[in-house]
Amino acid sequence: MASMEASAGHHHLVLCLIWASATVYVGLIWSALYSTFITHGQSQESILEIIYGTPTGKVDSQRRVLNAVALTMVALSSSLAELVNIWRCWELYSRRWTIVIIPFLAVICGLTTYGTALSSWYRASSPIFFAPGQQIILTIEYCVLTAATNITTTSFVIGRIVAVGGWRQIRTYSGLVEIMIESSFLYSATYIVYLALYVHSMSHGGTSYVYVGALLSGVTAAAPTMIMARIMSGRVRPDDSWTRSSTMQSDTSLMSSLDAVYVTNTSQGFLQPAPC
C-alpha cells in the first residue's frame, strides 16, 4: 500500500512539473506578444525593434532573460514528457533496460545539444533564438533527437500492445484508445509535423511551424497526463499481464503445433488412438 502511495506521489510530482513548465512558457510567450504588439505596437518599426533589437544591435537584457527562461521551460516539459513515455515503455516490456537505453541516451544527448545552443545564443546577445549560425544547427539536431525518441517509444509500445492483445483486440474501441494513450501517439505525430514544418521553414522561409508549435506545448503536457490518469484510474492492464499474456500465447502456439503433428501422424497411421 505504501509503495502504491509513493508511486502515485511521484506521478503527481511529474505532472505538476510538466504543467508548471508548460504554463510558465505560455505565460512568458503571451507577455512577449503583448509587449510587442500592444505596448510597443504603434508602428512597424517599433515592433521590429522589439523583436530584432535596436538598429545598433542592442537587445533588452530583461527580454533576453525572459526568452531564455521560456526556452528552458520548453526543454523541461518536453524532456519530462519523453521520460514518461520511456518509463511506460520500460514497464510494458517487464522493466528491461535494453529496450529503453537508446531512447534514454537520445534524451540526454538532446538536452546537451539544446543547452549548448541556448548558451551560445545567450552569450552572443542575439535578439532571436532561431538566428542563422551554429545554434540553429544544434536546435535542429535537438528536434531530430526528440522526434527519434518519440518514434522509437511509440513504436515499441504499439508493438507490445499488438503482441499481447493481438490484432483483433486493437480493432475495438477500447483497444484503439489503449494504443492512442499508452503510446502517446498524438504527441509523437504532432512533433513530427512540427519538425517537418520547421525544417521546411528554415530552408524555404515561412512561419507555418509556429502554429503547430502553439499546439505542441499543450499536447506535450496532455499526453503524459492521459497516461498517468489511465494508470491511476486502474484502466490499464496489470503489470504481470504483459508477461503472462505473452507466455499464454506461446503455450497456445505450442499446443496448436502439437495438435497438428498428432493429427498428421494419426492420419498417416503412425499413431493409433486408443479404443474407447
Side-chain angles (χ1 to χ4, degrees):
M1 186 68 178
S3 61
M4 293 179 61
E5 293 180 355
S7 178
H10 295 158
H11 295 164
H12 292 153
L13 176 61
V14 172
L15 289 181
C16 287
L17 288 175
I18 293 175
W19 279 103
S21 57
T23 303
V24 170
Y25 168 74
V26 172
L28 290 175
I29 292 299
W30 180 87
S31 175
L33 292 175
Y34 184 88
S35 174
T36 301
F37 296 101
I38 304 300
T39 306
H40 301 88
Q42 293 81 8
S43 63
Q44 184 176 1
E45 289 76 12
S46 61
I47 294 176
L48 293 177
E49 182 177 326
I50 291 296
I51 297 177
Y52 295 103
T54 61
T56 59
K58 183 180 180 181
V59 182
D60 185 9
S61 59
Q62 181 180 2
R63 182 181 179 86
R64 192 155 53 90
V65 170
L66 293 178
N67 288 341
V69 173
L71 294 170
T72 303
M73 293 298 102
V74 170
L76 177 61
S77 61
S78 62
S79 298
L80 288 175
E82 292 160 21
L83 290 176
V84 170
N85 295 339
I86 293 174
W87 166 78
R88 191 55 187 159
C89 185
W90 176 66
E91 289 281 349
L92 266 56
Y93 279 87
S94 304
R95 301 186 176 184
R96 291 163 53 190
W97 286 104
T98 54
I99 297 295
V100 298
I101 187 64
I102 294 180
F104 182 76
L105 292 177
V107 172
I108 300 300
C109 294
L111 284 176
T112 304
T113 303
Y114 190 86
T116 303
L118 184 60
S119 175
S120 174
W121 164 79
Y122 191 82
R123 290 197 306 268
S125 300
S126 178
I128 54 176
F129 182 61
F130 301 115
Q134 183 66 21
Q135 68 237 32
I136 193 172
I137 299 176
L138 295 175
T139 305
I140 293 177
E141 291 178 357
Y142 165 75
C143 293
V144 170
L145 288 171
T146 302
T149 302
N150 295 330
I151 293 173
T152 302
T153 54
T154 298
S155 301
F156 281 172
V157 171
I158 293 177
R160 187 62 170 171
I161 294 175
V162 172
V164 171
W167 288 103
R168 181 179 300 178
Q169 181 179 357
I170 67 173
R171 294 175 183 174
T172 62
Y173 175 78
S174 59
L176 183 61
V177 170
E178 181 183 20
I179 285 182
M180 294 292 291
I181 295 179
E182 294 278 0
S183 66
S184 295
F185 181 82
L186 183 60
Y187 173 53
S188 299
T190 306
Y191 202 95
I192 292 172
V193 173
Y194 171 79
L195 176 60
L197 293 177
Y198 174 69
V199 173
H200 180 271
S201 299
M202 293 299 103
S203 58
H204 297 86
T207 58
S208 56
Y209 70 94
V210 176
Y211 302 100
V212 182
L215 176 65
L216 184 61
S217 59
V219 174
T220 302
T225 301
M226 289 189 290
I227 293 178
M228 297 297 188
R230 185 176 172 85
I231 293 174
M232 290 184 287
S233 63
R235 295 184 178 275
V236 297
R237 303 170 188 261
D239 292 339
D240 59 344
S241 68
W242 299 102
T243 304
R244 185 174 66 250
S245 299
S246 302
T247 305
M248 291 175 60
Q249 288 182 356
S250 300
D251 293 342
T252 302
S253 300
L254 178 60
M255 291 301 297
S256 299
S257 301
L258 292 176
D259 290 341
V261 171
Y262 176 79
V263 171
T264 302
N265 292 335
T266 302
S267 61
Q268 294 177 358
F270 296 115
L271 294 176
Q272 296 294 334
C276 297

